[in-house]
Amino acid sequence: MAAYIIRRVLIMLLLLLLLTLIVFVLFSLLPADVARLTCGKICTDQTIELNRIRLGLDKSVFEQYWLFLSALFVGRTYGIGDGAIVCEAPCLGWSFTKSEPVLELILQRLPTTIFLALGAFVLFLVGGVLLGVYSALKRGGWQDRTITSVALIGYSLPSFFFGLVVIYFVIIRWQVLPFPQYEHPWDDPVQFLQTMILPWLVLAILYAAFYTRLTRSQMLETLGEDYIRTARAKGLPERTVIRKHALRAGLTPIVTAAGLDLAGLLGGAIILEAVFSLPGLGGLAISSVVNPDQAILVGITLVTATFIIVANLIVDILYAVIDPRVRVA
Amino acid sequence: MSHDFLQINDLRVSFPTDDGVVRAVSGLTLSVGRGETLAIVGESGSGKSVTAQAIMGLLNPLATEIDGRILLDGVDLLACDPEHRRSMRGSAMAMIFQDPLSSLHPFYRVGDQLIEAVRIHQDVTKKEARTQAIDGLRRVGIPDPERRVDDYPHQLSGGMRQRVMIAMALINGPQLLIADEPTTALDVTVQAQITDLMMDLQQQTGTTMIVITHDLGVVAEMADHVCVMYGGRVVEYGTTDAVYYRPSMPYTRGLLASVPRLDGAYDEHLDPIPGNPPSLIRPPSGCVFHPRCREREAVPGDLCSTVEPDLVTAGPDHRARCHLLTEGTP
């Protein structure tokens, strides 16, 4: 087990290194001229050239990559003399449009995104799995048919549409909730909940639909397994058969999907954050596209991809926890 | 005769499907005496496994219709409270399945699966249950049970897994043990070991046993009585000797003729039964076996294809379902 985890962690570190390279190369291939975009209001050819030198864009791609990579560990100074900008380690780049380190910007936005992601994650996972199990147990009955059809509708709704519909009815027409105005929970917990409840529900319903379907098909498959019959033949109560024997066996693909979905959500539910004007990573990403800031986009891409890679590691470890046969592999 | 420990009366099991109702068991009547071993033989789809699962109560009640009576030591299993029936599973009656790999949960240690079985039915601590689990493993001949108890099923060989299944079935001292093709999925060398083990254990415990198999060698070795099933019906029933030496139904004769014999002539060919098992949705009229029967010419008229024969006496403690016995011309 320990050897398995060590091997997975080493693979992950290698992947992360590869990831920085890929992201860096991809963004340097873009036609956008960063030196021009970040040179400020009064832009002469000369200032652009100076800016290019300040950003290190005059160096070769490999040197630039090295600068970018080493900045993560030792920081980086843009320019020289009095006008120099110091970005301390770990430096993920500097946003010249916002005059702040990219990491700082991301960390400011991250809590909102984490709250949104975790809240929705708990809701859709619990809801989806419970509904899926229930649906599988009532296979072919009206409960099963209702759940399956509603899940199909939920699965096919686009999030911006669903989000806007919910805002229109709940906030504008019925005025059950005030307009979303995000506050951190430690500042104003009531306001926080009032703002988050709708995006949580919308995300949860969209994702729960998928988990309901996945859990249902997994349960139906495992309920037909021989070891389930053995569990019943032992005289176990049906509840234990379902919980301890069937659900655990059907869990593996659910864990995979859940891990990756959580990682994806942590990278920002871009559209939904915009719909509910939440100050999360998604909003930051959109504003950096509208108001071009490549440093931020590189940073967000890296952070999001890192989440996915870490989630994969966690999923792999969970596999081994769930299924002893994986540990030897 | 103590032919009343397990009594099955007119058992009917059917599964409604989109293509029609599958009548897996049609009016099965059987009894097994305490401490006896009954073998149920027949080809795939003859209803033997369904009968076993009906006794154990393992058929999905939503997808199955069950009629008739199954009395285990006087308790009507089909009429009693489902909770009471559940508590009898694993304690009063237990079952071993065909494929020991897929029948053990791959994610739990064999010890934990045994401990679980103990603690459903006995109010003991985990530690005591573990001791019982180790004893159970030792009893079925697993070497070094103190260590093996912490193995996962995938770490054991096929024969070991089946031993674990047997240990699990016997751990609460059931009075009835049903073995559904216990050796089919095993290597030939291991088959004999498992058969011997089951016979030894039965002698020690006096458990009543039903062995479902299509291995007639296993039958000859283990069973006191044999019940031959075809198309969801009992077509022949009797002591093992009677059925082997005086098979009274053409299907049984065919079954016996399709087994290779060590004492047979070198160039003797096997004699398989022609045709396929009958449809259980639209079974043949009359005798279910008549479309494949090679001896129906011996019965006058079209009796075989119009009238279903009854189980009639073919000898002492021996009955068969064939018109030859009553109408046949010798």
Side-chain angles (χ1 to χ4, degrees):
Chain A
M1 186 78 179
Y4 174 81
I5 294 177
I6 290 170
R7 196 164 57 238
R8 291 283 141 171
V9 170
L10 288 179
I11 292 174
M12 181 191 77
L13 292 177
L14 207 67
L15 264 178
L16 282 174
L17 190 67
L18 197 65
L19 173 75
T20 56
L21 181 65
I22 292 171
V23 169
F24 190 84
V25 169
L26 279 181
F27 274 91
S28 59
L29 287 178
L30 288 181
D33 185 354
V34 179
R36 183 180 296 276
L37 287 172
T38 56
C39 84
K41 286 223 170 81
I42 318 145
C43 251
T44 62
D45 284 351
Q46 202 190 355
T47 45
I48 292 177
E49 252 350 276
L50 283 173
N51 198 25
R52 198 179 301 284
I53 293 165
R54 185 168 66 147
L55 291 174
L57 294 173
D58 55 334
K59 299 192 170 75
S60 73
V61 177
F62 292 108
E63 275 178 281
Q64 289 185 43
Y65 175 61
W66 177 247
L67 272 177
F68 174 79
L69 198 62
S70 57
L72 282 170
F73 301 97
V74 296
R76 180 171 178 183
T77 308
Y78 296 92
I80 36 170
D82 287 346
I85 292 164
V86 180
C87 176
E88 281 172 19
C91 174
L92 205 55
W94 182 271
S95 160
F96 286 90
T97 56
K98 296 198 159 59
S99 299
E100 271 188 85
V102 168
L103 190 64
E104 188 65 28
L105 285 167
I106 289 177
L107 288 179
Q108 283 164 13
R109 303 300 194 100
L110 203 53
T112 314
T113 294
I114 289 180
F115 288 133
L116 177 65
L118 282 182
F121 179 75
V122 171
L123 284 178
F124 73 65
L125 200 58
V126 172
V129 169
L130 285 181
L131 282 176
V133 170
Y134 183 71
S135 193
L137 294 182
K138 300 280 179 187
R139 178 188 199 172
W142 64 267
Q143 302 98 322
D144 177 31
R145 284 200 297 270
T146 312
I147 292 172
T148 323
S149 352
V150 171
L152 184 62
I153 297 171
Y155 196 37
S156 34
L157 279 180
S159 65
F160 64 88
F161 170 76
F162 190 29
L164 288 175
V165 167
V166 168
I167 289 185
Y168 176 71
F169 280 103
V170 178
I171 296 177
I172 299 176
R173 277 286 285 278
W174 303 328
Q175 303 187 342
V176 182
L177 287 169
F179 268 91
Q181 178 67 51
Y182 182 81
E183 287 291 340
H184 283 307
W186 48 83
D187 293 332
D188 186 347
V190 176
Q191 175 89 25
F192 169 77
L193 287 177
Q194 279 179 343
T195 308
M196 294 303 271
I197 184 96
L198 285 186
W200 275 339
L201 284 177
V202 168
L203 266 187
I205 288 171
L206 295 175
Y207 279 82
F210 168 73
Y211 284 89
T212 304
R213 293 164 64 82
L214 182 64
T215 308
R216 178 182 181 273
S217 65
Q218 277 301 311
M219 280 302 283
L220 287 180
E221 201 183 311
T222 42
L223 282 174
E225 294 283 352
D226 286 351
Y227 51 78
I228 297 301
R229 192 178 53 188
T230 309
R232 292 199 177 112
K234 279 179 183 179
L236 281 176
E238 193 61 19
R239 186 195 301 252
T240 316
V241 174
I242 304 289
R243 219 163 17 84
K244 200 172 155 193
H245 292 254
L247 199 53
R248 175 158 177 198
L251 215 54
T252 339
I254 300 174
V255 167
T256 316
L260 296 183
D261 273 346
L262 178 61
L265 280 176
L266 285 175
I270 294 183
I271 292 167
L272 212 68
E273 282 182 14
V275 169
F276 287 93
S277 29
L278 296 173
L281 280 185
L284 186 63
I286 289 183
S287 76
S288 315
V289 172
V290 176
N291 223 338
D293 190 326
Q294 193 164 322
I296 296 180
L297 287 177
V298 170
I300 290 182
T301 310
L302 264 182
V303 167
T304 309
T306 306
F307 281 141
I308 304 254
I309 289 177
V310 174
N312 256 314
L313 171 75
I314 295 172
V315 163
D316 277 350
I317 293 174
L318 280 179
Y319 267 9
V321 172
I322 295 172
D323 187 344
R325 289 170 300 182
V326 175
R327 286 171 214 167
V328 282
Chain B
M1 269 204 308
S2 56
H3 260 203
D4 51 2
F5 178 63
L6 175 72
Q7 249 188 335
I8 304 177
N9 274 321
D10 198 25
L11 178 71
R12 288 166 195 279
V13 183
S14 53
F15 309 102
T17 67
D18 290 341
D19 300 326
V21 178
V22 175
R23 297 184 198 286
V25 179
S26 320
L28 177 128
T29 299
L30 258 187
S31 57
V32 190
R34 192 183 293 274
E36 279 188 2
T37 300
L38 170 76
I40 302 182
V41 296
E43 54 200 5
S44 313
S46 60
K48 30 189 221 304
S49 287
V50 173
T51 304
Q53 295 191 42
I55 299 170
M56 289 292 291
L58 294 176
L59 296 168
N60 179 0
L62 298 176
T64 331
E65 280 167 32
I66 308 181
D67 263 321
R69 264 150 63 97
I70 302 177
L71 295 173
L72 179 70
D73 210 8
V75 180
D76 189 339
L77 294 177
L78 295 182
C80 77
D81 173 39
E83 181 54 27
H84 180 61
R85 190 160 190 213
R86 178 195 64 71
S87 71
M88 289 176 75
R89 275 202 285 279
S91 60
M93 53 188 178
M95 189 161 172
I96 304 168
F97 302 97
Q98 180 172 344
D99 185 349
L101 178 57
S102 60
S103 296
L104 286 165
H105 200 300
F107 294 179
Y108 292 104
R109 295 173 197 279
V110 295
D112 290 337
Q113 301 190 43
L114 285 162
I115 290 169
E116 184 180 43
V118 173
R119 298 193 70 199
I120 306 164
H121 300 290
Q122 301 176 37
D123 187 18
V124 296
T125 64
K126 236 184 174 139
K127 215 175 149 199
E128 284 167 8
R130 188 180 159 88
T131 313
Q132 285 193 34
I134 293 173
D135 287 346
L137 290 179
R138 183 176 297 118
R139 194 158 64 138
V140 294
I142 288 187
D144 204 1
E146 289 86 356
R147 218 163 46 81
R148 286 299 191 180
V149 75
D150 289 322
D151 275 355
Y152 287 98
H154 69 266
Q155 294 169 301
L156 301 173
S157 68
M160 286 293 170
R161 288 181 202 129
Q162 195 59 298
R163 285 172 195 265
V164 171
M165 283 300 290
I166 294 172
M168 191 148 84
L170 294 179
I171 202 144
N172 292 304
Q175 298 159 290
L176 173 68
L177 177 66
I178 302 176
D180 189 355
E181 311 221 12
T183 58
T184 311
L186 303 175
D187 287 346
V188 182
T189 44
V190 182
Q191 286 182 359
Q193 293 174 13
I194 294 295
T195 314
D196 289 347
L197 172 69
M198 289 176 60
M199 282 164 44
D200 280 354
L201 290 171
Q202 193 200 16
Q203 287 208 321
Q204 289 168 30
T205 57
T207 307
T208 308
M209 218 153 55
I210 297 179
V211 182
I212 293 168
T213 181
H214 50 243
D215 183 339
L216 294 168
V218 171
V219 177
E221 205 173 342
M222 298 181 73
D224 303 305
H225 284 83
V226 182
C227 163
V228 182
M229 284 188 75
Y230 185 84
R233 293 157 176 79
V234 176
V235 292
E236 182 152 359
Y237 171 87
T239 60
T240 307
D241 280 354
V243 172
Y244 268 60
Y245 294 115
R246 295 180 297 283
S248 302
M249 153 85 195
Y251 175 65
T252 316
R253 283 197 276 272
L255 215 52
L256 290 168
S258 57
V259 177
R261 297 173 61 105
L262 282 179
D263 57 357
Y266 175 73
D267 56 354
E268 188 183 43
H269 286 282
L270 289 181
D271 189 10
I273 304 173
N276 291 309
S279 155
L280 295 173
I281 295 177
R282 276 170 292 275
S285 58
C287 170
V288 272
F289 186 61
H290 87 262
R292 299 169 74 184
C293 186
R294 280 182 285 202
E295 299 175 46
R296 55 188 282 213
E297 279 75 28
V299 178
D302 51 3
L303 206 54
C304 286
S305 58
T306 50
V307 180
E308 176 161 17
D310 289 326
L311 260 185
V312 295
T313 303
D317 205 9
H318 186 184
R319 290 189 296 282
R321 195 185 287 280
C322 185
H323 286 307
L324 280 172
L325 293 169
T326 46
E327 311 289 335
T329 44

